[in-house]
């Protein structure tokens, strides 16, 4: 079975996210001839040599643009593809699925991974030409998956069993030793972008700094615009200089895992996310998570509030009070971390998620053979 992910923006980092892990694990455990069709974005793909060894990388030359190049590829190769996988409700996916529908062979499957956030769900059912295209994109797919149970419930009202729940997993080195939790609040992401709401995190931490003793560690690149805000915040709250640490971007997975291991709390106050893979990375190392309603997967990753909390978007006061509450709560942090790790392993391990996808693909194959 040939499984092709058509994602022309693939970079090395994507190989250990859903774009790379899904075709890689289908190859590793189920024998698919699978890979990614992409432009060569960057000089090298080091993850392909070790972490996802065996995953195909099939490069296209940039000629006419993402839509045209992808469609011409499908016109030439659709009949050799058993399962086509595309991402997102955008114009590229619309044309890819439309082209595949015309040129594919009988019994093949078009699989759309939605990577959808709450705003995307809301917009998909409004009127307008662009939104009609989004609905047609979903209609062109034979099966599609969404990353949170909240969005799944809404989509099932329109698409029934055609849509299924498939969250994202985590890709971190195996934990070899138990690390004692420290009084650390951690966040990881593109710091300073509007989506990540780093400003809300800093202000909330400052609001309660005299009522809790946590250190705040921020991992990730920092936008130029945010650097001025960061300095202004330190001038306004000088005591924070000793308790807020900007760690920079950490690419080494072992070093990143060490940050997760130490933290008691992982704060992710994003305004909008389709999933937030860093949440599963954090919970896989036993971190208690705090996120917002803009991250619908937070409900699933926190086990509906058992291992974390979901607050309102931009709710600085609620975030501040959560830090104080957790500081004063007599918790067995190590014991709770073990429970969180076990829950995450059961529900968000890539190998188990790919077993779910394989079942969906096998069922769809069976149906199409009987048509």
């Amino acid at each position: 079975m040939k499984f092709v992910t058509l994602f022309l923006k693939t970079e090395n980092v994507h190989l250990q996210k859903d774009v790379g892990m899904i075709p890689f694990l289908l190859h590793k455990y189920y024998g698919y001839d699978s890979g990614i069709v992409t432009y060569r974005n960057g000089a090298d793909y080091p993850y392909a040599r070790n972490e996802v060894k065996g995953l195909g990388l099939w490069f296209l030359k940039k000629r006419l643009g993402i839509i045209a190049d992808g469609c011409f590829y499908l016109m030439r190769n659709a009949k050799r593809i058993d399962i086509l996988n595309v991402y997102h409700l955008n114009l590229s996916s619309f044309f890819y699925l439309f082209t595949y529908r015309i040129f594919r062979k009988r019994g093949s499957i078009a699989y759309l991974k939605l990577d959808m956030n709450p705003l995307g769900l809301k917009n998909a059912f409004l009127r307008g030409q662009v939104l009609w295209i989004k609905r047609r994109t979903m209609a062109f797919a034979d099966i599609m998956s969404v990353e949170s149970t909240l969005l799944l419930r809404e989509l099932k009202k329109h698409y029934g069993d055609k849509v299924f729940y498939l969250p994202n997993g985590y890709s971190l080195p195996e934990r070899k030793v138990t690390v004692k939790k420290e009084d650390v609040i951690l966040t990881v992401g593109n710091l300073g972008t509007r989506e990540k709401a780093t400003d809300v995190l800093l202000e909330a931490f400052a609001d309660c700094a005299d009522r809790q003793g946590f250190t705040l560690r921020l991992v990730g690149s920092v936008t130029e615009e945010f650097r001025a805000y960061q300095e202004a915040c330190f001038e306004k709250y000088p005591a924070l200089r000793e308790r807020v640490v900007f760690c920079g971007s950490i690419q080494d997975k072992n070093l990143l895992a060490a940050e997760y291991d130490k933290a008691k709390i992982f704060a992710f106050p994003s305004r909008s996310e389709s999933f937030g893979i860093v949440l599963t990375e954090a919970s896989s190392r036993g971190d208690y998570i705090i996120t917002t309603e803009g991250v619908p997967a937070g409900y699933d990753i926190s086990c509906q509030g058992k291992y974390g909390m979901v607050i309102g978007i931009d709710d600085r006061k609620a975030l501040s009070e959560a830090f104080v509450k957790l500081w004063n709560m007599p918790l067995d942090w190590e014991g709770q971390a073990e429970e969180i790790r076990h829950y995450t392993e059961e529900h968000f391990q890539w190998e188990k998620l790919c077993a779910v996808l394989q079942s969906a693909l096998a069922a769809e194959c069976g149906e199409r053979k009987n048509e």
Side-chain angles (χ1 to χ4, degrees):
M1 292 277 281
K2 192 175 186 66
F3 182 99
V4 172
T5 295
L6 182 54
F7 191 76
L8 298 187
K9 295 181 179 180
T10 302
E11 299 177 15
N12 182 61
V13 67
H14 290 108
L15 300 186
Q16 285 211 290
K17 295 184 177 182
D18 47 358
V19 171
M21 293 303 292
I22 286 174
F24 167 65
L25 292 173
L26 288 176
H27 163 73
K28 181 177 180 180
Y29 292 108
Y30 302 101
Y32 285 77
D33 174 16
S34 57
I36 304 170
V37 173
T38 178
Y39 293 142
R40 188 178 287 277
N41 301 300
D44 199 9
Y45 288 78
Y47 286 157
R49 293 192 292 272
N50 295 303
E51 286 82 357
V52 292
K53 188 176 181 179
L55 172 67
L57 285 177
W58 303 314
F59 296 109
L60 292 186
K61 288 185 178 180
K62 293 183 180 180
R63 297 182 186 277
L64 301 173
I66 282 179
I67 293 176
D69 289 345
C71 288
F72 278 121
Y73 167 81
L74 289 171
M75 291 168 66
R76 294 190 300 269
N77 295 280
K79 285 189 169 24
R80 292 193 287 271
I81 299 172
D82 296 293
I83 303 167
L84 176 70
N85 169 216
V86 299
Y87 281 73
H88 309 131
L89 284 182
N90 56 27
L91 204 57
S92 296
S93 294
F94 172 82
F95 280 106
Y96 293 166
L97 293 175
F98 177 72
T99 304
Y100 187 61
R101 196 178 184 89
I102 294 173
F103 290 95
R104 70 183 184 176
K105 62 185 175 182
R106 183 181 178 85
S108 60
I109 298 172
Y111 164 42
L112 171 63
K113 192 170 187 294
L114 288 167
D115 201 30
M116 178 181 278
N117 60 30
L119 182 60
L121 174 67
K122 179 182 177 181
N123 287 343
F125 298 102
L126 297 176
R127 293 185 177 183
Q129 185 175 12
V130 172
L131 305 175
W132 176 86
I133 288 174
K134 291 181 182 294
R135 290 192 292 275
R136 290 308 300 163
T137 303
M138 289 188 279
F140 290 154
D142 298 307
I143 58 172
M144 53 188 179
S145 64
V146 69
E147 291 75 13
S148 72
T149 56
L150 280 177
L151 272 58
L152 176 72
R153 285 197 291 270
E154 292 303 312
L155 285 166
K156 273 191 169 295
K157 295 175 184 177
H158 301 272
Y159 297 101
D161 291 338
K162 177 176 176 175
V163 60
F164 62 99
Y165 171 57
L166 189 75
N168 288 321
Y170 56 92
S171 300
L172 287 177
E174 184 178 348
R175 187 174 59 94
K176 296 180 180 178
V177 295
T178 300
V179 179
K180 182 175 174 60
K181 289 294 184 182
E182 300 178 12
D183 292 331
V184 169
I185 298 170
L186 176 69
T187 194
V188 176
N190 298 317
L191 306 175
T193 60
R194 187 185 182 283
E195 290 80 8
K196 301 305 178 189
T198 318
D199 55 328
V200 175
L201 177 57
L202 270 185
E203 293 284 352
F205 187 81
D207 288 346
C208 64
D210 59 344
R211 292 181 288 152
Q212 48 83 9
F214 290 114
T215 295
L216 175 62
R217 294 178 65 83
L218 302 97
V219 173
S221 58
V222 182
T223 65
E224 286 302 318
E225 296 82 359
F226 192 75
R227 291 188 186 280
Y229 178 90
Q230 171 190 335
E231 192 54 39
C233 189
F234 284 155
E235 288 182 9
K236 184 178 179 181
Y237 307 104
L240 292 189
R241 291 186 186 273
E242 302 299 319
R243 293 178 55 190
V244 176
V245 181
F246 283 83
C247 306
S249 179
I250 299 178
Q251 299 300 319
D252 187 303
K253 288 284 188 177
N254 288 293
L255 295 178
L256 182 58
E259 292 289 340
Y260 289 126
D261 282 335
K262 289 186 295 185
K264 286 181 177 178
I265 299 167
F266 185 81
F268 195 62
S270 284
R271 294 180 170 104
S272 177
E273 298 280 345
S274 59
F275 187 78
I277 290 175
V278 290
L279 287 175
T280 53
E281 290 183 343
S283 61
S284 76
R285 312 306 274 212
D287 298 3
Y288 182 94
I289 68 168
I290 303 176
T291 190
T292 74
E293 294 169 348
V295 191
Y299 293 98
D300 302 311
I301 299 168
S302 69
C303 190
Q304 309 305 313
K306 185 176 181 180
Y307 301 126
M309 62 178 74
V310 178
I311 62 175
I313 298 170
D314 286 327
D315 197 336
R316 169 177 154 184
K317 182 179 179 181
L319 184 56
S320 180
E321 292 303 317
F323 293 157
V324 174
K325 179 181 178 180
L326 290 166
W327 176 257
N328 291 317
M329 194 174 288
L331 286 173
D332 173 11
W333 287 99
E334 268 66 44
Q336 178 180 253
E338 242 352 273
E339 287 186 32
I340 295 172
R341 280 191 285 263
H342 179 72
Y343 171 78
T344 307
E345 185 177 298
E346 284 297 307
H347 294 87
F348 300 98
Q349 192 180 67
W350 267 123
E351 286 79 1
K352 294 179 180 179
L353 297 177
C354 274
V356 173
L357 175 57
Q358 166 60 13
S359 295
L361 294 173
E364 184 64 22
C365 277
E367 287 188 16
R368 300 192 75 75
K369 285 180 180 178
N370 293 327
E371 288 179 351

